[in-house]
Amino acid sequence: MASWQAHVTTWILKRRLKPKLARASDALTVRKLMRPEPIKVPPGVRITPQQLGGVAGEWVEANSPRATLLYLHGGGYVACSAETHRPITTAFAQNGLRVFAPDYRMAPEHLFPAAVDDAVAVYRALLEQGTRIVVGGDSAGGGLALALMISLRDAGIPLPAAAALFSPWTDLAATGESLKTNDRHCSMFHGEKIGPGASYYLGSADARNPLASPLYADLSKLPPMLIHVGKDETLLDDSTRLAERARAAGVRVELKIWPVVPHVWQLVPTMPEARQSLREASESLLS
């Protein structure tokens, strides 16, 4: 059964944020709307700015990390940052991971494949440190994490040990049936806005390019992945179809569909489902 916090958060987002996003006419307006208030860093967690592979970002660390997590934030490739996603990265740090969250280049200033290039550059720099690497991401960052792994595999670069994806945006061509069936239920997005929104990042690129929309990629030989998504999300099918196609390609996938919760609910630390999802993802990445 979903928590009362999940019901309240969903209700607030549906009435306050969803209508504003529907009216947004450009990427910069979306960027302003999707910037949450910064959180207070939990005691015992350290934030250290650094550049890796020429890409700015921040280390998020606590005591005795057992692996390094490259975490790629969401925001439709146009919004958010390492700082806005500290509710997620600090939780991962508290759960035993040393996290690097890059501020990869975003649209509309930098079009596809700039974000992919930055993710690859950061990963290569992490490889030189010789630690066990895992990857994660939410929404656009989840799709970017997949694009990163596909790029690494195709280039013959050692892959991360595992991946954790929260409501990944995997189909920028916007063909999922849930864009229609969940349009009224989703607390953040109208399905008809997903395709046009992708153009901010794609420019003139093909929406089915595998590095933009990993749903259309060859998914074979990718590492085990955990996928968490909300039952009511317009992007639900981006996760369910990804899981189906990855399993068909021989990838071990753990898919969990959560009731009531909003898109990337892991950003809301007061929600029990957020804490539970982050614990389960941490355990999966460290196993």
Side-chain angles (χ1 to χ4, degrees):
M1 181 180 296
S3 68
W4 67 263
Q5 293 95 330
H7 283 281
V8 169
T9 302
T10 297
W11 186 89
I12 292 172
L13 288 171
K14 186 179 288 187
R15 282 151 184 79
R16 295 184 181 178
L17 181 58
K18 185 175 181 177
K20 293 179 181 178
L21 286 173
R23 293 192 297 268
S25 59
D26 58 77
L28 297 184
T29 301
V30 172
R31 183 177 296 172
K32 292 177 182 178
L33 290 172
M34 293 184 68
R35 180 171 178 81
E37 293 295 322
I39 68 159
K40 183 178 180 181
V41 177
V45 177
R46 302 180 300 279
I47 308 288
T48 308
Q50 190 175 352
Q51 282 199 359
L52 286 180
V55 181
E58 61 184 34
W59 283 106
V60 186
E61 304 169 271
N63 295 324
S64 304
R66 290 182 280 155
T68 297
L69 168 63
L70 170 55
Y71 191 82
L72 299 163
H73 71 80
Y77 295 106
V78 302
C80 299
S81 65
E83 180 183 8
T84 65
H85 278 59
R86 286 178 182 172
I88 292 175
T89 56
T90 57
F92 274 128
Q94 290 174 312
N95 288 334
L97 290 146
R98 184 183 186 224
V99 184
F100 186 78
D103 283 316
Y104 57 84
R105 288 173 292 170
M106 293 193 296
E109 296 88 351
H110 304 282
L111 300 178
F112 169 80
V116 182
D117 293 342
D118 285 358
V120 170
V122 171
Y123 185 88
R124 284 179 174 272
L126 288 173
L127 268 183
E128 295 176 0
Q129 299 184 4
T131 61
R132 181 180 187 269
I133 304 174
V134 293
V135 300
D138 62 274
S139 195
L144 182 56
L146 285 161
L148 165 66
M149 293 187 289
I150 293 162
S151 296
L152 298 173
R153 181 202 61 198
D154 292 350
I157 299 171
L159 290 166
L165 311 173
F166 300 143
S167 305
W169 190 19
T170 66
D171 180 17
L172 275 63
T175 65
E177 187 64 23
S178 60
L179 295 177
K180 299 176 182 177
T181 57
N182 276 350
D183 186 71
R184 290 178 56 251
H185 305 293
C186 183
S187 62
M188 285 191 64
F189 304 123
H190 285 291
E192 64 183 11
K193 294 290 185 176
I194 299 298
S199 65
Y200 298 144
Y201 173 57
L202 291 170
S204 61
D206 182 359
R208 296 183 187 236
N209 184 307
L211 295 184
S213 295
L215 185 67
Y216 303 103
D218 170 12
L219 300 173
S220 62
K221 300 181 181 179
L222 295 187
M225 61 181 73
L226 171 144
I227 305 169
H228 285 181
V229 66
K231 177 178 179 291
D232 295 334
E233 295 191 49
T234 54
L235 292 181
L236 172 63
D237 283 1
D238 283 45
S239 289
T240 56
R241 292 181 297 161
L242 170 68
E244 178 183 347
R245 295 182 186 190
R247 286 168 178 158
V251 179
R252 180 160 60 88
V253 178
E254 179 184 348
L255 170 67
K256 184 172 181 178
I257 301 174
W258 300 65
V260 179
V261 294
H263 181 66
V264 192
W265 68 95
Q266 295 83 1
L267 282 168
V268 187
T270 56
M271 194 184 299
E273 290 90 343
R275 299 191 294 273
Q276 182 182 348
S277 174
L278 287 160
R279 282 195 301 268
E280 292 179 9
S282 299
E283 291 168 2
S284 177
L285 292 172
L286 290 168
S287 64

